[in-house]
Amino acid sequence: MKKLMLILSTITLIGLSGCGNNGHHTESNHHGMNHEKKEKEKQTKVSFTFNQNPKSGENSELVIKVKDSEGKTIKDFEVEHEKLMHLIVVSNDLSYFDHIHPEYKGDGLFTITPNFPSGGKYTLYADFVPKDSAKTVKTKTIQVLGSERSPVVLKEDQHQTKVVAGKEISFKTDELTTNKDITLSFTIKDEKSKKPIRNLQPYLGAIGHVVAISEDTKNYLHVHPMNEDSTGPEAKFMTSFPKSGMYKIWGQFQQNGQKFTVDFTVKVK
Ligand SMILES: [Cu+2]
């Protein structure tokens, strides 16, 4: 059952729509179970509206409205990873990443004020589960006003070890091919002492939280922990990559009340 949940939660987005209403989702390794839930997901309609044109350095409130196919408000949501909705915000070159939690105002309405460090294109991924329905991801690409940075070219990481917030994090994967269960593993040590860290705290109810996005921003993989109750030093996750190409992977963990995010860019053959 656990494995099935892991597989079902690996969601692929194909063909992002501007309004977030027509995004097609396929679930890799899906064997036709849960058809009814899948239908419901297809019918969920989400609108993303800012109270003013979003501009870097300004606070523009984003309102996310969730409706069903008949335009009726969806009011009840399941708590997933301790939250009713997760919102991932990336710049379209994937150099900027944020993972935030819109506040539920009731009546199918969520609000949040995202931070945009510069002008340019960004993609928003709203990740939620309507009550009695399937995990749903709806996306929108937006143009943020303000001065733009030159885009960062995505490059495959040559070194699978990075230092973030005083931690040395090593990243390993199975051989990266498409449509196969792939284990992603992060091993976390103290940067100075090189001692394995064994007191990671639960972050959103698990050892960590991992998201992977394809270079073109069209595939969003919500990855789930395999050893969710562990406190380190190793955090393992499973996912499946639907298409070959470059993906950026962000792992988020917490120790001593401090959250930290590490990213690795991989090439899937
Ligand atoms: Cu979240």
Side-chain angles (χ1 to χ4, degrees):
M1 190 58 196
K2 195 133 195 198
K3 179 133 185 240
L4 178 66
M5 297 294 287
L6 287 171
I7 290 165
L8 289 178
S9 63
T10 304
I11 291 186
T12 306
L13 296 181
I14 298 166
L16 298 194
S17 67
C19 60
N21 289 346
N22 316 318
H24 300 289
H25 306 168
T26 56
E27 290 169 5
S28 45
N29 304 327
H30 197 281
H31 300 296
M33 295 166 71
N34 235 341
H35 184 72
E36 199 183 321
K37 282 192 170 186
K38 217 178 155 191
E39 279 304 303
K40 278 190 187 164
E41 182 195 354
K42 240 189 259 166
Q43 291 163 4
T44 307
K45 294 188 172 176
V46 172
S47 65
F48 299 80
T49 318
F50 283 92
N51 66 345
Q52 59 174 39
N53 281 334
K55 190 175 175 188
S56 68
E58 285 185 11
N59 296 326
S60 312
E61 189 183 55
L62 167 64
V63 176
I64 301 170
K65 246 185 220 169
V66 186
K67 293 184 173 176
D68 68 15
S69 58
E70 282 133 36
K72 255 177 59 192
T73 301
I74 294 177
K75 292 183 179 168
D76 296 312
F77 300 87
E78 311 273 1
V79 173
E80 193 202 21
H81 296 285
E82 300 184 341
K83 303 287 177 185
L84 294 178
M85 180 181 278
H86 303 263
L87 184 73
I88 302 295
V89 179
V90 293
S91 56
N92 272 23
D93 65 356
L94 302 183
S95 65
Y96 176 76
F97 170 89
D98 203 8
H99 171 184
I100 49 183
H101 301 109
E103 188 184 336
Y104 189 45
K105 300 286 194 186
D107 247 4
L109 228 133
F110 291 84
T111 66
I112 191 145
T113 303
N115 186 33
F116 300 110
S118 61
K121 279 208 166 89
Y122 288 78
T123 299
L124 313 171
Y125 305 83
D127 186 328
F128 58 95
V129 184
K131 193 171 193 303
D132 301 323
S133 188
K135 184 174 167 62
T136 302
V137 178
K138 295 289 180 179
T139 72
K140 184 174 170 91
T141 298
I142 57 165
Q143 179 72 39
V144 172
L145 304 173
S147 64
E148 298 191 17
R149 284 177 295 102
S150 39
V152 177
V153 178
L154 201 62
K155 271 196 246 142
E156 186 183 357
D157 275 312
Q158 297 305 314
H159 301 284
Q160 301 297 65
T161 297
K162 285 190 185 176
V163 172
V164 172
K167 281 102 182 149
E168 190 185 281
I169 301 145
S170 306
F171 180 65
K172 269 203 197 103
T173 68
D174 300 331
E175 197 198 344
L176 289 167
T177 54
T178 56
N179 296 313
K180 200 185 87 185
D181 285 346
I182 304 279
T183 301
L184 313 174
S185 98
F186 298 78
T187 304
I188 303 167
K189 290 181 186 169
D190 184 83
E191 182 198 356
K192 286 200 186 110
S193 70
K194 308 285 178 202
K195 281 195 180 135
I197 289 180
R198 299 181 191 279
N199 65 339
L200 289 176
Q201 293 166 321
Y203 174 62
L204 298 170
I207 184 170
H209 194 279
V210 171
V211 167
I213 297 176
S214 61
E215 185 174 19
D216 61 5
T217 73
K218 293 200 162 74
N219 293 285
Y220 168 93
L221 307 165
H222 198 137
V223 185
H224 281 266
M226 297 166 75
N227 57 339
E228 58 178 79
D229 298 328
S230 169
T231 58
E234 193 180 33
K236 282 184 165 188
F237 300 83
M238 190 187 275
T239 193
S240 162
F241 295 90
K243 267 175 62 186
S244 59
M246 305 261 271
Y247 288 79
K248 194 157 177 178
I249 299 168
W250 294 266
Q252 298 187 287
F253 305 94
Q254 186 170 301
Q255 187 202 24
N256 301 329
Q258 298 277 23
K259 182 182 86 181
F260 56 98
T261 303
V262 63
D263 63 74
F264 291 95
T265 300
V266 299
K267 197 174 200 172
V268 176
K269 286 187 186 122

mmCIF file of all heavy atoms in Angstrom, residues 80-81 83 85-88 99-101 203-204 209 222, ligand 1:
data_model
loop_
_atom_site.group_PDB
_atom_site.id
_atom_site.type_symbol
_atom_site.label_atom_id
_atom_site.label_comp_id
_atom_site.label_asym_id
_atom_site.label_seq_id
_atom_site.Cartn_x
_atom_site.Cartn_y
_atom_site.Cartn_z
ATOM 1 N N GLU A 80 -2.234 17.256 3.780
ATOM 2 C CA GLU A 80 -1.163 16.411 3.254
ATOM 3 C C GLU A 80 0.163 17.048 3.637
ATOM 4 O O GLU A 80 0.357 18.250 3.404
ATOM 5 C CB GLU A 80 -1.281 16.296 1.733
ATOM 6 C CG GLU A 80 -0.412 15.191 1.203
ATOM 7 C CD GLU A 80 -0.083 15.366 -0.258
ATOM 8 O OE1 GLU A 80 -0.173 16.493 -0.769
ATOM 9 O OE2 GLU A 80 0.286 14.385 -0.868
ATOM 10 N N HIS A 81 1.051 16.279 4.211
ATOM 11 C CA HIS A 81 2.295 16.841 4.752
ATOM 12 C C HIS A 81 1.994 18.049 5.625
ATOM 13 O O HIS A 81 2.583 19.123 5.461
ATOM 14 C CB HIS A 81 3.264 17.249 3.631
ATOM 15 C CG HIS A 81 3.744 16.107 2.823
ATOM 16 N ND1 HIS A 81 4.675 15.212 3.281
ATOM 17 C CD2 HIS A 81 3.392 15.677 1.597
ATOM 18 C CE1 HIS A 81 4.896 14.305 2.361
ATOM 19 N NE2 HIS A 81 4.123 14.554 1.330
ATOM 20 N N LYS A 83 -0.226 20.233 5.650
ATOM 21 C CA LYS A 83 -0.789 21.463 5.083
ATOM 22 C C LYS A 83 -1.940 21.142 4.127
ATOM 23 O O LYS A 83 -1.997 20.061 3.555
ATOM 24 C CB LYS A 83 0.294 22.229 4.307
ATOM 25 C CG LYS A 83 1.518 22.575 5.116
ATOM 26 C CD LYS A 83 1.261 23.681 6.119
ATOM 27 C CE LYS A 83 2.500 23.951 6.955
ATOM 28 N NZ LYS A 83 2.263 24.934 8.009
ATOM 29 N N MET A 85 -2.481 23.128 1.418
ATOM 30 C CA MET A 85 -1.964 23.411 0.073
ATOM 31 C C MET A 85 -0.483 23.741 0.163
ATOM 32 O O MET A 85 -0.055 24.442 1.076
ATOM 33 C CB MET A 85 -2.706 24.571 -0.585
ATOM 34 C CG MET A 85 -2.192 24.890 -1.996
ATOM 35 S SD MET A 85 -3.031 26.284 -2.771
ATOM 36 C CE MET A 85 -4.509 25.476 -3.403
ATOM 37 N N HIS A 86 0.269 23.199 -0.792
ATOM 38 C CA HIS A 86 1.685 23.541 -0.926
ATOM 39 C C HIS A 86 1.823 24.314 -2.228
ATOM 40 O O HIS A 86 1.227 23.945 -3.239
ATOM 41 C CB HIS A 86 2.542 22.276 -0.992
ATOM 42 C CG HIS A 86 2.353 21.383 0.197
ATOM 43 N ND1 HIS A 86 3.194 21.378 1.276
ATOM 44 C CD2 HIS A 86 1.384 20.483 0.484
ATOM 45 C CE1 HIS A 86 2.769 20.510 2.170
ATOM 46 N NE2 HIS A 86 1.662 19.944 1.712
ATOM 47 N N LEU A 87 2.586 25.390 -2.189
ATOM 48 C CA LEU A 87 2.815 26.159 -3.409
ATOM 49 C C LEU A 87 4.315 26.232 -3.659
ATOM 50 O O LEU A 87 5.077 26.684 -2.816
ATOM 51 C CB LEU A 87 2.238 27.574 -3.268
ATOM 52 C CG LEU A 87 2.348 28.433 -4.526
ATOM 53 C CD1 LEU A 87 1.348 27.970 -5.595
ATOM 54 C CD2 LEU A 87 2.087 29.907 -4.213
ATOM 55 N N ILE A 88 4.714 25.725 -4.822
ATOM 56 C CA ILE A 88 6.115 25.798 -5.217
ATOM 57 C C ILE A 88 6.218 26.932 -6.245
ATOM 58 O O ILE A 88 5.418 27.001 -7.182
ATOM 59 C CB ILE A 88 6.583 24.462 -5.845
ATOM 60 C CG1 ILE A 88 6.396 23.285 -4.862
ATOM 61 C CG2 ILE A 88 8.026 24.556 -6.340
ATOM 62 C CD1 ILE A 88 7.219 23.324 -3.602
ATOM 63 N N HIS A 99 9.141 27.276 -1.488
ATOM 64 C CA HIS A 99 8.096 26.314 -1.124
ATOM 65 C C HIS A 99 7.330 26.946 0.031
ATOM 66 O O HIS A 99 7.853 27.098 1.113
ATOM 67 C CB HIS A 99 8.787 25.002 -0.713
ATOM 68 C CG HIS A 99 7.873 23.981 -0.122
ATOM 69 N ND1 HIS A 99 8.335 22.782 0.365
ATOM 70 C CD2 HIS A 99 6.535 23.960 0.069
ATOM 71 C CE1 HIS A 99 7.325 22.070 0.837
ATOM 72 N NE2 HIS A 99 6.221 22.769 0.676
ATOM 73 N N ILE A 100 6.100 27.358 -0.262
ATOM 74 C CA ILE A 100 5.334 28.131 0.718
ATOM 75 C C ILE A 100 3.934 27.548 0.878
ATOM 76 O O ILE A 100 3.518 26.677 0.087
ATOM 77 C CB ILE A 100 5.279 29.634 0.312
ATOM 78 C CG1 ILE A 100 4.868 29.786 -1.162
ATOM 79 C CG2 ILE A 100 6.631 30.292 0.555
ATOM 80 C CD1 ILE A 100 4.855 31.224 -1.660
ATOM 81 N N HIS A 101 3.226 28.005 1.877
ATOM 82 C CA HIS A 101 1.927 27.433 2.200
ATOM 83 C C HIS A 101 0.840 28.497 2.252
ATOM 84 O O HIS A 101 0.749 29.230 3.238
ATOM 85 C CB HIS A 101 2.026 26.641 3.511
ATOM 86 C CG HIS A 101 3.026 25.548 3.400
ATOM 87 N ND1 HIS A 101 4.233 25.557 4.042
ATOM 88 C CD2 HIS A 101 3.018 24.424 2.636
ATOM 89 C CE1 HIS A 101 4.918 24.488 3.700
ATOM 90 N NE2 HIS A 101 4.212 23.788 2.840
ATOM 91 N N TYR A 203 10.296 17.470 8.993
ATOM 92 C CA TYR A 203 9.929 18.672 8.243
ATOM 93 C C TYR A 203 8.657 18.330 7.475
ATOM 94 O O TYR A 203 8.650 17.394 6.673
ATOM 95 C CB TYR A 203 11.064 19.093 7.308
ATOM 96 C CG TYR A 203 10.694 20.243 6.414
ATOM 97 C CD1 TYR A 203 10.352 21.479 6.956
ATOM 98 C CD2 TYR A 203 10.646 20.096 5.045
ATOM 99 C CE1 TYR A 203 9.978 22.537 6.152
ATOM 100 C CE2 TYR A 203 10.282 21.142 4.225
ATOM 101 C CZ TYR A 203 9.953 22.364 4.785
ATOM 102 O OH TYR A 203 9.569 23.399 3.968
ATOM 103 N N LEU A 204 7.580 19.031 7.759
ATOM 104 C CA LEU A 204 6.269 18.723 7.179
ATOM 105 C C LEU A 204 5.918 17.250 7.408
ATOM 106 O O LEU A 204 5.423 16.564 6.527
ATOM 107 C CB LEU A 204 6.240 19.069 5.688
ATOM 108 C CG LEU A 204 6.451 20.545 5.383
ATOM 109 C CD1 LEU A 204 6.649 20.775 3.898
ATOM 110 C CD2 LEU A 204 5.261 21.387 5.881
ATOM 111 N N HIS A 209 11.578 16.829 2.501
ATOM 112 C CA HIS A 209 10.615 17.097 1.448
ATOM 113 C C HIS A 209 11.408 17.316 0.174
ATOM 114 O O HIS A 209 12.351 18.107 0.176
ATOM 115 C CB HIS A 209 9.826 18.346 1.841
ATOM 116 C CG HIS A 209 8.602 18.563 1.030
ATOM 117 N ND1 HIS A 209 8.633 19.130 -0.208
ATOM 118 C CD2 HIS A 209 7.310 18.295 1.298
ATOM 119 C CE1 HIS A 209 7.393 19.202 -0.673
ATOM 120 N NE2 HIS A 209 6.565 18.701 0.217
ATOM 121 N N HIS A 222 6.530 15.376 -7.328
ATOM 122 C CA HIS A 222 6.483 15.500 -5.877
ATOM 123 C C HIS A 222 6.965 14.158 -5.341
ATOM 124 O O HIS A 222 6.337 13.143 -5.568
ATOM 125 C CB HIS A 222 5.063 15.798 -5.441
ATOM 126 C CG HIS A 222 4.995 16.350 -4.070
ATOM 127 N ND1 HIS A 222 4.186 17.407 -3.738
ATOM 128 C CD2 HIS A 222 5.642 16.002 -2.952
ATOM 129 C CE1 HIS A 222 4.346 17.666 -2.463
ATOM 130 N NE2 HIS A 222 5.216 16.838 -1.955
HETATM 131 CU CU CU B 1 4.603 22.344 1.431
#
